Amino acid sequence: MMDTTNTAINSVGFAVLFLMILLLYAQLPHKKVRWKLFKSKNKDFSIAEYEAFIFQLSYSLHFLSKHKIGALVVIENVDNLKKYVSLGYSVTAKLTSELLITVFGNKKSALHDGGVIVRKFNVISVSSYFPVTQKIMTSTYGARHRSATGLTEETDAIALIVSETTGNISYSKKGKIHALEKENLDVLCDNLFELLNFYIN
């Protein structure tokens, strides 16, 4: 009888301890935990570099969205996008919000059309053009969405899109369009952190 009682007490104690751990974890600053994991997995980048990259990218999309300025930003993954770089203007520049806003902000400029290609933390091409999907899409999607879908049908890149009509921010992955946060910059930063996790894995 005593053994059964002790076993029951131990089981309850373990359950309570497990619940406490879950509650404590829920209160942790998860973003900081993710940065720590990032540092341990990828020695090529510092925490500060990755954090700056995510913020600059997020701020750019947020700004362009608020002003309903269309944009297409392609993030290279494993598949090399060299052939698409040759279809635009090859550059080598660190990605900054100023650069992206300048490229897309002037609607009369030739650079406004087409897309930007990003490799690691650098812009390697502007005004690049991509294959347009052949599948039927709703009328709410324009040329940028069709190009983003076409490219991500053929490669593992992730294409970020800002709609010039609605200001909506979305992304295309594996040929499918998904919505992203456009109102709250902090939430958008978190969205992009999760979306671009191949940088840290």
Side-chain angles (χ1 to χ4, degrees):
M1 181 67 178
M2 183 65 70
D3 290 340
T4 302
T5 302
N6 288 338
T7 300
I9 291 173
N10 289 337
S11 298
V12 172
F14 179 80
V16 171
L17 179 61
F18 183 72
L19 181 60
M20 289 176 64
I21 291 172
L22 288 179
L23 291 173
L24 286 171
Y25 179 76
Q27 298 175 30
L28 285 174
H30 292 145
K31 188 176 292 186
K32 291 182 179 179
V33 173
R34 291 201 294 263
W35 295 140
K36 185 176 181 180
L37 290 174
F38 164 76
K39 184 178 181 181
S40 66
K41 287 185 177 181
N42 199 323
K43 302 298 183 181
D44 294 333
F45 317 131
S46 70
I47 296 174
E49 285 178 307
Y50 189 71
E51 185 174 17
F53 169 74
I54 291 294
F55 179 78
Q56 293 291 323
L57 182 58
S58 301
Y59 182 84
S60 304
L61 298 177
H62 187 256
F63 178 92
L64 295 168
S65 170
K66 285 181 65 176
H67 294 83
K68 291 188 177 180
I69 299 172
L72 175 57
V73 180
V74 173
I75 311 296
E76 186 182 64
N77 194 349
V78 176
D79 295 339
N80 193 298
L81 301 181
K82 181 179 179 180
K83 69 177 181 179
Y84 301 111
V85 172
S86 65
L87 298 178
Y89 298 99
S90 178
V91 298
T92 302
K94 184 177 180 180
L95 185 146
T96 65
S97 56
E98 291 85 358
L99 175 59
L100 292 184
I101 292 169
T102 298
V103 168
F104 293 112
N106 184 356
K107 296 183 180 181
K108 295 182 180 180
S109 168
L111 299 182
H112 174 73
D113 296 320
V116 162
I117 299 177
V118 177
R119 176 180 293 157
K120 301 299 184 183
F121 301 139
N122 297 315
V123 172
I124 61 170
S125 177
V126 298
S127 196
S128 284
Y129 286 85
F130 309 104
V132 176
T133 184
Q134 297 303 306
K135 70 181 182 182
I136 298 174
M137 301 182 73
T138 69
S139 59
T140 57
Y141 293 142
R144 290 185 178 88
H145 296 87
R146 296 183 63 81
S147 294
T149 302
L151 177 66
T152 60
E153 285 174 335
E154 297 184 6
T155 73
D156 63 356
I158 291 179
L160 305 168
I161 314 116
V162 178
S163 170
E164 199 158 295
T165 304
T166 64
N168 289 339
I169 305 173
S170 56
Y171 72 93
S172 181
K173 181 178 181 180
K174 296 181 179 179
K176 294 184 178 180
I177 300 285
H178 307 271
L180 286 168
E181 171 64 32
K182 73 172 185 177
E183 301 294 343
N184 188 306
L185 179 57
D186 287 337
V187 174
L188 179 58
C189 283
D190 286 340
N191 286 169
L192 292 183
F193 183 93
E194 297 296 339
L195 180 61
L196 303 181
N197 62 10
F198 57 83
Y199 268 84
I200 60 179
N201 291 329

